[in-house]
């Protein structure tokens, strides 16, 4: 299969213009903090689209993108689309696919990067203690967004050149399933990238995947080699008063051989 022929299969359905590849139940929708347009969605957009938060992450990811044209790039947990959208804009010959579990985040991503109505998308967040802002719309032909479980995407086997995720590894119920999915879709000589604070939600994550050397060992046991590791801090702004959370994150890049 050539890169240019990579297409997603027909979805289960659509919500507005967003393809749906995971049938979320009413209970799952209610349990998802990003499924309603609330301060979490607004804060995520502002953190990425204003200030250094998104710029720092984009610079880190961009260093390890594959070279050459006609590459298939996938972001799992793409959120409001800042990282993948800018990669698609900067690399018009790449084919980019963004998957997220939350419709409201994908709605924002599509509004900014797949919008036929050029202009600005308004983010009205002052009621949540954050300044209002406007994001310029774009209409990129080389990017697609879809709702999917990150551990079970509709991508074909060995179809992806570069698969990355930011702040997702420690949020999924079972990181091993996320790893298996990345390995399934990755081509030989392809790369996976994990950027995360590795701040697990439950004790099982800490037992299985901490310290980070455990992650490296488990991934290398699966036929990949680590080619990059970096530790750095990133600030998540909470409000206009500059209350913030400082995350210590690790960036890991592995190559399949």
């Amino acid at each position: 299969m050539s890169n240019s022929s990579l297409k997603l299969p027909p979805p289960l359905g659509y919500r507005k213009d967003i393809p749906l590849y995971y049938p979320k139940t009413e209970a799952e929708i209610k349990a998802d903090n990003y499924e309603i347009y609330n301060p979490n969605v607004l804060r995520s957009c502002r953190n990425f689209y204003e200030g250094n938060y998104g710029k720092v992450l984009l610079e880190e990811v961009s260093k390890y993108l594959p070279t050459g044209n006609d590459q298939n790039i996938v972001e799992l947990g793409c959120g409001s689309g800042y990282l993948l959208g800018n990669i698609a804009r900067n690399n018009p010959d790449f084919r980019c696919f963004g998957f997220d579990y939350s419709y409201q985040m994908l709605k924002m991503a599509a509004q900014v990067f797949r919008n036929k109505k050029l202009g600005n998308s308004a983010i009205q967040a002052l009621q949540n203690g954050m300044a209002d802002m406007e994001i310029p719309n774009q209409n990129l032909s080389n990017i697609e967004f879809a709702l999917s479980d990150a551990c079970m995407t509709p991508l074909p086997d060995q179809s992806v050149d570069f698969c990355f995720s930011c702040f997702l590894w420690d949020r999924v119920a079972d990181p091993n399933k996320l790893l298996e999915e990345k390995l399934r879709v990755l081509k030989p000589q392809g790369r996976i990238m994990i950027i995360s604070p590795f701040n697990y939600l439950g004790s099982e994550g800490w037992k299985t995947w901490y310290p980070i050397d455990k992650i490296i060992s488990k991934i290398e046991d699966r036929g990949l080699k680590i080619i990059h590791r970096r530790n750095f801090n990133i600030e998540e702004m909470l409000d206009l008063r500059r209350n913030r959370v400082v995350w210590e994150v690790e960036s890991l890049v592995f190559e399949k051989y």
Side-chain angles (χ1 to χ4, degrees):
M1 175 181 290
S2 67
N3 286 339
S4 59
S5 67
L6 175 56
K7 295 181 180 180
L8 299 181
L12 300 175
Y14 289 86
R15 184 175 175 185
K16 300 295 185 178
D17 294 327
I18 302 297
L20 307 178
Y21 289 95
Y22 181 79
K24 292 181 77 168
T25 66
E26 288 296 323
E28 287 174 322
I29 292 174
K30 290 179 180 179
D32 183 357
N33 289 330
Y34 292 99
E35 240 346 332
I36 56 175
Y37 202 68
N38 65 9
N40 286 332
V41 175
L42 298 173
R43 184 174 295 117
S44 175
C45 290
R46 286 198 58 82
N47 277 328
F48 274 100
Y49 288 92
E50 184 175 86
N52 291 325
Y53 185 99
K55 293 178 182 178
V56 169
L57 291 173
L58 179 61
E59 181 180 357
E60 180 71 10
V61 174
S62 297
K63 290 176 184 176
Y64 297 94
L65 291 171
T67 58
N69 300 329
D70 202 25
Q71 305 287 329
N72 293 325
I73 312 298
V74 170
E75 181 180 10
L76 301 180
C78 65
S80 56
Y82 176 89
L83 297 177
L84 191 70
N86 278 283
I87 289 170
R89 183 194 64 185
N90 296 336
N91 300 275
D93 292 322
F94 284 7
R95 196 85 181 102
C96 299
F97 299 86
F99 298 98
D100 201 272
Y101 184 70
S102 302
Y103 166 76
Q104 292 292 353
M105 299 296 274
L106 293 164
K107 177 183 176 182
M108 177 57 67
Q111 183 175 324
V112 174
F113 292 105
R114 290 295 304 265
N115 198 333
K116 295 179 181 179
K117 297 180 180 179
L118 300 182
N120 294 325
S121 292
I123 305 296
Q124 298 177 337
L126 187 59
Q127 72 271 24
N128 302 119
M130 295 168 283
D132 295 342
M133 68 178 296
E134 292 189 344
I135 305 171
N137 296 336
Q138 302 173 64
N139 186 22
L140 303 178
S141 62
N142 64 328
I143 191 168
E144 296 182 42
F145 297 104
L147 192 149
S148 174
D149 184 336
C151 302
M152 190 172 56
T153 72
L155 292 163
D157 294 350
Q158 297 189 14
S159 60
V160 173
D161 298 284
F162 185 81
C163 182
F164 73 101
S165 59
C166 294
F167 287 73
L168 178 67
W169 178 273
D170 54 2
R171 303 295 96 178
V172 298
D174 185 354
N176 190 61
K177 289 183 178 180
L178 180 62
L179 174 60
E180 290 293 335
E181 181 64 6
K182 289 187 176 187
L183 295 177
R184 180 185 71 80
V185 303
L186 196 65
K187 293 180 179 181
Q189 286 78 55
R191 292 178 176 178
I192 64 173
M193 186 173 196
I194 302 166
I195 299 178
S196 175
F198 299 103
N199 178 39
Y200 299 99
L201 297 176
S203 60
E204 190 58 37
W206 291 101
K207 291 177 182 176
T208 306
W209 301 101
Y210 183 81
I212 295 171
D213 286 343
K214 283 188 178 180
I215 299 173
I216 296 173
S217 177
K218 289 177 183 290
I219 295 178
E220 288 191 322
D221 285 345
R222 298 300 309 276
L224 284 81
K225 60 182 177 181
I226 188 165
I227 61 172
H228 166 74
R229 179 178 182 180
R230 185 167 87 91
N231 180 281
F232 59 97
N233 290 346
I234 191 165
E235 293 186 354
E236 178 181 353
M237 302 304 299
L238 300 179
D239 57 36
L240 284 169
R241 294 189 64 243
R242 295 187 60 79
N243 290 309
R244 72 200 77 178
V245 175
V246 178
W247 295 102
E248 181 178 344
V249 302
E250 198 91 17
S251 172
L252 308 173
V253 181
F254 298 86
E255 192 168 85
K256 190 175 182 180
Y257 57 86

